[in-house]
Amino acid sequence: MKCPFQKSEGLPLKNLVTGEILYDTLHHSAKATNILCNEEFCSGSSMGLFGTADRIKAVEEQKQASLFTEAQKFVTECYNEWGRDENELNQRLSVVKAEIDQTGSYDLTPQEMELGGKLAWRNSPRCPGRIQWKNLKFFDCRQTNSLEEVFEAICRHIEFSTNDGNIKPAITVFPKRTFGEPDVVRIWNLQLITYAGYAQEDGTVIGDKVNTEITQHPRYPQFEKLGLEWFALPAVSSMMFEIGGLEFPAAPFSGWYSLPEVAVRDILDKQRYNMAKPIAKILNLDTASATNFWMDRVTTEVSVAVLHSYNKQQVTIVDHFKQADQFMDFFQSEHEIRGGCPADWVWIVPPLSGSQTPVFHQEMLNYQICPAFHYQKSLASMYRPKGQDLPSFKATAKALVFMNNLFAKRLRERKTISIYYATETGASKGFATILQKIFVNGYVSKAMNIAFVDTDEILNPDSQEIHQAIFIVSTFGNGDPPTGAIKFASKIKDLMNRGKRLENLEFGVFALGSSAYPNYCAFGKFLDDSFHKLGGVRILPIGMGDELNGQDDSFEEWMFGLGHLNDVPQGVKSHLRRLEQISNQQLFEQEFKWEVSNKYIEEVDNMQHVHGKTVRSVKILNKQIVANRFIHLELDVSEMNENIRAGDHIAIYPRNDTNAVTEIVGSLQDLPAKETPVKLSGGTFAAPTGTLEFLLHAFYDINGLLSARDLKFIERFMLSNEDVEKLHILQKSKTKIPLRFVDLFKTFPSLAIRSEDFVGRMKLTRPRLYSIASSPKVNSDGKKVLDLIISTVEYLDAKGIPRKGVCTSFLKSCNVDSIILGHYQASTLFGPVLEDQSRPLIMIANGSGIAPFRGIWQARLVRDQNENHVGATTQDLLFFGCRSFKEDLYATETKNILERYTVYSRDPDRPKQYVQDAVKARKYKILDYILNLNAIVLVCGSAGMADGVKTVMDSFLEWEGLSVEELKLTKSYIEEIFV
């Protein structure tokens, strides 16, 4: 009888912490294998659960007979992945069939091999680091046959993948196996780089009983006396790569180490270096008894040492907590995309702190699908007699099948509702997950990323089946859909243009956005309006959540509205109503309290604690005010260890205005002792420690907006009916003028609130991101230096009150040699542009939007000088808009570096023009750059400017059958927008 985990219809996999159940259907395509189990025992934790590749091969004749079937499966998967049409697929399959009929085998194209290598990694059930599978680099060495060529290929692989410590995943594939003939290339090492082991006459081993960079310890320098070393690159070299029915016995592949692999499995395991007791000795630990947990202490300290060592040498390594979180994201995503994820729980759960990681509590299903990597017999075992195959078990199969069928029947009786999310930062995914956990109380429900679903499945005008769906979507940049939803938005526009209807769709939309942008929640509004115009039926009105003002509260309010609909299952209604009651109770029962701290905590440590970022001290070396509107800063960022690139960002942690803080403190009740450091308990996020004035000055957002729930809470502390009535009028006003914490006491003079209750409603002040305005450099004093150019922010709010930007005001008040706090943040937009130096750039900016472009042109200039380029054959283009000639930033610097076009909007001596006017005037040059030179368009600046540029660009791109949206899909048009 087969193992009950081999085939099932939607096998349920439960997360024992969240209660969420995923249903695995991907295992239906699992490869038939000789699982080493029988009726009496399960070998799920056996190293060779599926046997070696030799067991999988079966008989040569059988293999040959099934070769085209396997080839057809894989090639079809490739062409589906690439979006090729059926004619192209059939042509390719006919070539493969003819090749097999003529020669008994066939060859895959390099593109097919590359995708196959990525899929083999994606399919590897024992690898917890598969989230990066799309980034695998493929080296094609199938024509290699001499020892020298093999050695050179391996060296190239190691050099590429090691990458000076910034590890890149890679696979090198050598010639395929021809049955009946000796393998052309076979690598007997378990890994490309290993330490040797020499057996001694007394049974001991010098070296690795099968293999570290120099291992140091930040707290125990005596670790260095042990001389422990490990290498940077784990490159598995002894496994066989199976793809499309073909076998490649030599296909070394590499990624990066996870911390427990080195610290626990390599250094401490008894069958490896067995260093536990020697390390315990230098830590002065008693090893006579296990009950003092000396082994746990050793394991922790070795892990600290390894992580410290790799980080110090700037070699990529991932700790087990981060890897477990990444795997859970991958696991969820794979179920959304493919309906399953093969995973070997025994290998996925780390050997260190296993139950403290989320993977420990997740049920998994272990099976093999192709392409795949398989174990092969070792050199020594090739000459041992073969043992007989172990029989498979069947003891519990009938019971499991019965329970599964019963469960499936109950699920089929439930209604189905789909939850789709579109996200850039993960916020909409978080809300979708919350909703899905509630819906499982009465629906068959899944939360799915729009980027990974079949749009025709959702938007099918010919379907007769009612489709209920909730869409939780964010808006990206200047009113655009998130990257993963661009195709979905295009499909909707296409249906509207063709006059199609979606009368089978019952929908609800919750839109996320920022009210700081003019096109607030634009993508969500677009979906709601389009679905309605296409004939869809609204389940409930659109909800909108402002990231600047109570987004969580807005989502809760919208979500609770679902509980009042007639057609919602009773289980879901009950759950929503119970949550609503709890939420209202918590608002008034939440108790904030000051806790006195016995010690002073450094501001840097405080910031790191509450923000979870690697915060560092930054020194202002130079400061200039340009045209009374911009601040140019030269910063010493030597304490930042990251590999900072042009186009990346520095986040600055601002301080609030001292006078405003003093006014607030003077209005609060029940203040903690003035010089006593305190910490607020009862909140929902990590709290900083310090005196009240210091906390309000450096950590809490006194300029933040109050949400509806905040106002409901604050109302209890108003002593006059006049203030209460004023609040009610403001709440009912159609204009909904927002209220800020800093203005509360001026607006409501009778407000008498305890300091802890007031501070408890605030959020933390967010760090402000600024694009680096230079190529990172080292000055004459050996300092790592970079520049920022920042627009000062001054405006009138909705009440006509003058406001200033919190961070720009703070920076304007700072002096040279001042120390501020910041952290580095890599850019996912402009940063990667530097990696492709071959394509010319069309840079479009206004105001301080020029900042990242200055870094990029400086980096390109350095490159040209280092590579002895006399001059680029094609100059990059810069279109820049500013108010007046005095604000023409870096004009002198760009001479002879790039082709620059500057326009002025408020200069009395020059015609009034905007950036889009300059773009329109040079449309033929821009088209030439895009069509013939494969240029990348980079836009950085205000939302209004970006909108105008997009409109103009679309007007002439249309001549060539193109659009900005299409260029965005190929990363040839990239925007970074600010307000």
Side-chain angles (χ1 to χ4, degrees):
M1 187 169 185
K2 292 179 181 178
C3 172
F5 292 104
Q6 281 188 344
K7 299 285 178 181
S8 176
E9 187 176 319
L11 195 104
L13 302 174
K14 187 174 182 179
N15 186 300
L16 302 181
V17 172
T18 65
E20 181 180 8
I21 297 176
L22 301 172
Y23 297 91
D24 191 302
T25 56
L26 182 63
H27 66 282
H28 288 301
S29 57
K31 187 174 180 65
T33 56
N34 296 317
I35 296 177
L36 307 178
C37 302
N38 65 20
E39 297 171 316
E40 298 171 351
F41 61 83
C42 169
S43 294
S45 59
S46 168
M47 183 73 175
L49 175 61
F50 298 112
T52 64
D54 307 79
R55 297 173 66 87
I56 296 169
K57 272 195 310 188
V59 184
E60 180 181 339
E61 290 78 9
Q62 182 181 346
K63 190 76 180 178
Q64 293 297 111
S66 64
L67 181 57
F68 180 68
T69 302
E70 295 296 322
Q72 187 176 32
K73 286 179 187 175
F74 173 67
V75 173
T76 301
E77 184 175 8
C78 288
Y79 277 64
N80 288 340
E81 181 76 19
W82 297 330
R84 303 279 180 83
D85 61 38
E86 194 171 344
N87 288 334
E88 290 179 287
L89 171 61
N90 290 333
Q91 288 174 11
R92 173 63 180 140
L93 289 175
S94 64
V95 171
V96 171
K97 182 71 165 61
E99 199 172 346
I100 293 174
D101 290 343
Q102 185 175 352
T103 67
S105 185
Y106 75 105
D107 288 315
L108 290 161
T109 67
Q111 294 78 16
E112 291 164 348
M113 288 293 297
E114 180 176 13
L115 180 58
K118 293 178 179 180
L119 291 174
W121 186 14
R122 182 186 192 183
N123 296 337
S124 299
R126 289 182 167 177
C127 177
R130 287 176 270 165
I131 196 168
Q132 294 285 343
W133 67 272
K134 290 183 179 179
N135 297 325
L136 187 71
K137 171 70 174 178
F138 169 68
F139 291 108
D140 192 349
C141 294
R142 287 177 290 167
Q143 305 306 315
T144 303
N145 51 34
S146 73
L147 186 62
E148 291 78 10
E149 290 175 326
V150 172
F151 179 74
E152 287 174 5
I154 289 173
C155 290
R156 180 183 61 180
H157 179 123
I158 293 172
E159 183 179 6
F160 169 84
S161 203
T162 303
N163 190 35
D164 292 326
N166 186 17
I167 307 292
K168 292 182 178 181
I171 182 173
T172 297
V173 181
F174 292 103
K176 68 184 177 185
R177 172 172 285 155
T178 301
F179 295 113
E181 297 180 13
D183 291 335
V184 178
V185 179
R186 177 75 190 272
I187 301 172
W188 296 109
N189 303 49
L190 293 176
Q191 297 194 35
L192 292 181
I193 303 172
T194 56
Y195 292 117
Y198 299 97
Q200 306 300 297
E201 291 182 2
D202 62 359
T204 61
V205 173
I206 295 176
D208 190 357
K209 290 182 184 175
V210 188
N211 297 300
T212 310
E213 275 308 338
I214 296 172
T215 305
Q216 301 166 317
H217 198 291
R219 297 194 301 271
Y220 298 102
Q222 55 267 48
F223 258 73
E224 297 181 39
K225 296 177 182 177
L226 293 171
L228 296 176
E229 295 185 351
W230 208 257
F231 46 88
L233 183 69
V236 177
S237 54
S238 62
M239 297 183 78
M240 184 268 283
F241 173 36
E242 181 182 8
I243 172 175
L246 303 177
E247 295 183 359
F248 295 86
F253 57 93
S254 58
W256 46 80
Y257 270 120
S258 70
L259 177 58
E261 283 184 86
V262 179
V264 182
R265 304 306 311 278
D266 295 330
I267 295 176
L268 296 180
D269 274 7
K270 289 185 178 180
Q271 73 276 19
R272 301 298 295 283
Y273 266 90
N274 193 20
M275 291 297 297
K277 287 192 175 181
I279 292 170
K281 185 176 180 180
I282 69 166
L283 295 175
N284 295 318
L285 299 176
D286 180 8
T287 61
S289 172
T291 57
N292 65 3
F293 306 114
W294 68 268
M295 191 66 195
D296 297 83
R297 177 78 181 277
V298 166
T299 302
T300 300
E301 297 302 345
V302 172
S303 299
V304 171
V306 171
L307 187 61
H308 171 74
S309 173
Y310 273 70
N311 287 341
K312 185 174 182 179
Q313 300 296 328
Q314 296 186 317
V315 175
T316 305
I317 192 169
V318 62
D319 67 79
H320 44 300
F321 292 106
K322 182 177 181 180
Q323 187 170 69
D325 289 340
Q326 289 176 341
F327 179 78
M328 289 303 296
D329 289 342
F330 173 75
F331 190 75
Q332 293 260 3
S333 175
E334 287 293 90
H335 278 81
E336 293 171 8
I337 300 167
R338 300 205 291 176
C341 176
D344 189 340
W345 188 95
V346 176
W347 281 64
I348 299 299
V349 175
L352 180 64
S353 307
S355 64
Q356 302 306 305
T357 62
V359 292
F360 181 90
H361 308 281
Q362 174 65 57
E363 294 181 341
M364 302 176 192
L365 194 58
N366 188 9
Y367 50 91
Q368 287 193 323
I369 53 177
C370 285
F373 297 112
H374 302 292
Y375 291 110
Q376 301 185 93
K377 285 191 173 182
S378 65
L379 178 62
S381 66
M382 292 288 285
Y383 306 102
R384 295 176 186 168
K386 287 187 177 180
Q388 293 185 349
D389 290 349
L390 292 170
S392 61
F393 78 82
K394 57 182 179 181
T396 58
K398 287 186 178 180
L400 284 170
V401 170
F402 172 76
M403 291 297 294
N404 188 59
N405 289 340
L406 181 64
F407 188 68
K409 181 182 177 183
R410 292 295 300 272
L411 285 177
R412 283 195 294 269
E413 294 172 355
R414 286 185 169 188
K415 293 181 179 179
T416 298
I417 190 165
S418 301
I419 304 169
Y420 302 103
Y421 62 86
T423 186
E424 285 289 344
T425 63
S428 59
K429 179 182 179 181
F431 289 134
T433 302
I434 291 170
L435 197 59
Q436 191 269 338
K437 289 175 182 176
I438 295 170
F439 277 1
V440 295
N441 290 278
Y443 288 108
V444 174
S445 177
K446 283 179 67 177
M448 295 167 281
N449 191 333
I450 283 179
F452 303 128
V453 296
D454 183 358
T455 54
D456 292 332
E457 182 183 317
I458 310 171
L459 308 173
N460 184 0
D462 301 322
S463 174
Q464 301 300 312
E465 190 175 329
I466 296 296
H467 185 190
Q468 286 192 327
I470 299 291
F471 296 86
I472 302 177
V473 298
S474 59
T475 295
F476 179 62
N478 192 26
D480 296 325
T483 306
I486 292 174
K487 289 182 180 179
F488 186 76
S490 298
K491 175 74 174 180
I492 293 174
K493 291 173 184 176
D494 177 63
L495 289 175
M496 295 182 75
N497 291 336
R498 292 191 289 128
K500 295 291 185 178
R501 304 283 288 170
L502 289 175
E503 295 174 351
N504 61 319
L505 179 65
E506 296 180 358
F507 69 93
V509 176
F510 185 78
L512 285 74
S514 169
S515 57
Y517 289 88
N519 295 316
Y520 172 55
C521 291
F523 182 53
K525 292 175 182 176
F526 163 76
L527 288 187
D528 183 73
D529 183 58
S530 300
F531 289 150
H532 179 67
K533 287 178 179 177
L534 288 166
V537 178
R538 282 193 185 96
I539 297 174
L540 77 170
I542 185 174
M544 288 183 282
D546 184 358
E547 72 173 46
L548 299 180
N549 188 13
Q551 193 171 77
D552 292 357
D553 296 340
S554 300
F555 176 73
E556 268 196 4
E557 185 180 349
W558 177 83
M559 180 180 70
F560 292 150
L562 290 166
H564 302 287
L565 301 177
N566 294 328
D567 200 32
V568 174
Q570 190 58 44
V572 175
K573 281 188 176 183
S574 300
H575 201 80
L576 283 169
R577 286 170 184 168
R578 187 163 62 252
L579 287 175
E580 189 171 10
Q581 289 171 355
I582 292 170
S583 178
N584 289 331
Q585 287 171 3
Q586 285 177 342
L587 177 62
F588 299 111
E589 291 176 0
Q590 192 170 13
E591 185 176 350
F592 300 104
K593 183 180 178 182
W594 292 119
E595 293 180 351
V596 176
S597 175
N598 296 324
K599 59 180 181 179
Y600 173 78
I601 300 177
E602 292 286 348
E603 187 177 358
V604 170
D605 297 332
N606 245 332
M607 284 294 182
Q608 291 197 145
H609 170 64
V610 300
H611 289 283
K613 301 290 185 183
T614 306
V615 181
R616 293 288 181 259
S617 295
V618 175
K619 185 176 183 179
I620 299 177
L621 298 177
N622 194 7
K623 173 186 162 187
Q624 290 179 304
I625 304 298
V626 181
N628 208 32
R629 276 197 66 227
F630 301 97
I631 309 169
H632 181 95
L633 297 173
E634 185 179 34
L635 303 177
D636 175 2
V637 294
S638 298
E639 290 193 17
M640 293 184 178
N641 296 322
E642 295 87 354
N643 182 24
I644 299 174
R645 306 170 301 176
D648 288 341
H649 303 96
I650 296 295
I652 301 296
Y653 292 82
R655 290 193 168 196
N656 291 311
D657 179 70
T658 303
N659 293 330
V661 170
T662 302
E663 286 182 17
I664 289 173
V665 172
S667 303
L668 292 171
Q669 309 290 313
D670 298 339
L671 302 177
K674 188 167 185 179
E675 300 301 325
T676 303
V678 291
K679 177 180 179 181
L680 190 69
S681 65
T684 57
F685 50 80
T689 301
T691 64
L692 176 59
E693 288 86 349
F694 175 62
L695 295 179
L696 292 175
H697 191 44
F699 291 96
Y700 286 99
D701 189 6
I702 65 174
N703 294 283
L705 302 175
L706 285 88
S707 68
R709 283 171 65 82
D710 291 330
L711 292 172
K712 199 173 181 181
F713 179 85
I714 294 291
E715 182 183 334
R716 296 187 302 157
F717 302 99
M718 294 179 183
L719 302 182
S720 76
N721 291 331
E722 184 181 347
D723 278 349
V724 173
E725 184 62 29
K726 187 191 297 184
L727 175 61
H728 291 170
I729 291 172
L730 287 172
Q731 288 174 313
K732 293 174 184 176
S733 169
K734 290 183 180 179
T735 55
K736 295 284 182 185
I737 296 174
L739 287 167
R740 300 173 187 271
F741 283 94
V742 71
D743 298 327
L744 277 177
F745 294 105
K746 294 176 183 176
T747 309
F748 306 107
S750 73
L751 183 63
I753 185 171
R754 296 187 314 154
S755 59
E756 52 264 59
D757 289 324
F758 184 80
V759 177
R761 300 308 303 177
M762 289 185 191
K763 292 182 171 60
L764 295 172
T765 301
R766 295 179 296 112
R768 271 51 169 186
L769 276 181
Y770 296 108
S771 295
I772 297 170
S774 65
S775 179
K777 54 188 179 290
V778 176
N779 69 5
S780 57
D781 296 326
K783 309 285 189 184
K784 185 158 65 171
V785 175
L786 54 81
D787 297 345
L788 297 181
I789 184 75
I790 300 168
S791 303
T792 56
V793 179
E794 296 181 4
Y795 63 100
L796 295 177
D797 70 6
K799 291 182 179 180
I801 299 173
R803 301 283 184 189
K804 293 183 178 181
V806 175
C807 197
T808 56
S809 295
F810 165 64
L811 291 172
K812 202 169 183 180
S813 69
C814 290
N815 299 317
V816 172
D817 293 332
S818 294
I819 301 297
I820 60 177
L821 299 183
H823 74 258
Y824 162 75
Q825 186 157 318
S827 168
T828 58
L829 297 173
F830 294 153
V833 169
L834 288 174
E835 295 176 7
D836 185 358
Q837 301 279 14
S838 61
R839 299 172 68 181
L841 303 178
I842 303 171
M843 297 173 280
I844 305 171
N846 67 338
S848 59
I850 199 172
F853 300 156
R854 183 177 186 239
I856 289 171
W857 79 57
Q858 285 186 356
R860 289 196 159 198
L861 184 63
V862 170
R863 173 209 63 186
D864 291 343
Q865 291 171 346
N866 290 341
E867 297 178 6
N868 295 319
H869 289 184
V870 176
T873 54
T874 303
Q875 284 191 314
D876 295 332
L877 305 182
L878 172 64
F879 294 86
F880 181 62
C882 54
R883 293 180 180 180
S884 66
F885 181 76
K886 292 187 297 183
E887 297 180 8
D888 194 1
L889 301 172
Y890 309 120
T892 305
E893 184 177 320
T894 56
K895 285 182 179 178
N896 304 319
I897 294 177
L898 44 77
E899 199 170 320
R900 178 172 181 146
Y901 303 97
T902 303
V903 292
Y904 310 95
S905 61
R906 301 185 191 179
D907 193 307
D909 300 324
R910 292 170 176 79
K912 180 176 182 176
Q913 286 187 308
Y914 295 100
V915 178
Q916 52 265 43
D917 299 320
V919 169
K920 187 175 182 180
R922 307 297 188 290
K923 54 182 175 286
Y924 296 111
K925 177 180 276 288
I926 291 172
L927 276 175
D928 177 53
Y929 265 58
I930 293 173
L931 298 175
N932 300 320
L933 302 177
N934 195 26
I936 303 174
V937 181
L938 307 178
V939 181
C940 186
S942 66
M945 178 276 293
D947 223 12
V949 169
K950 180 178 181 294
T951 301
V952 168
M953 291 281 289
D954 273 331
S955 69
F956 58 79
L957 284 171
E958 187 181 11
W959 303 343
E960 303 295 334
L962 290 171
S963 69
V964 167
E965 294 300 328
E966 289 175 275
L967 293 181
K968 285 181 179 180
L969 285 174
T970 60
K971 306 287 186 186
S972 296
Y973 192 104
I974 304 171
E975 292 177 317
E976 188 167 282
I977 309 301
F978 55 80
V979 181

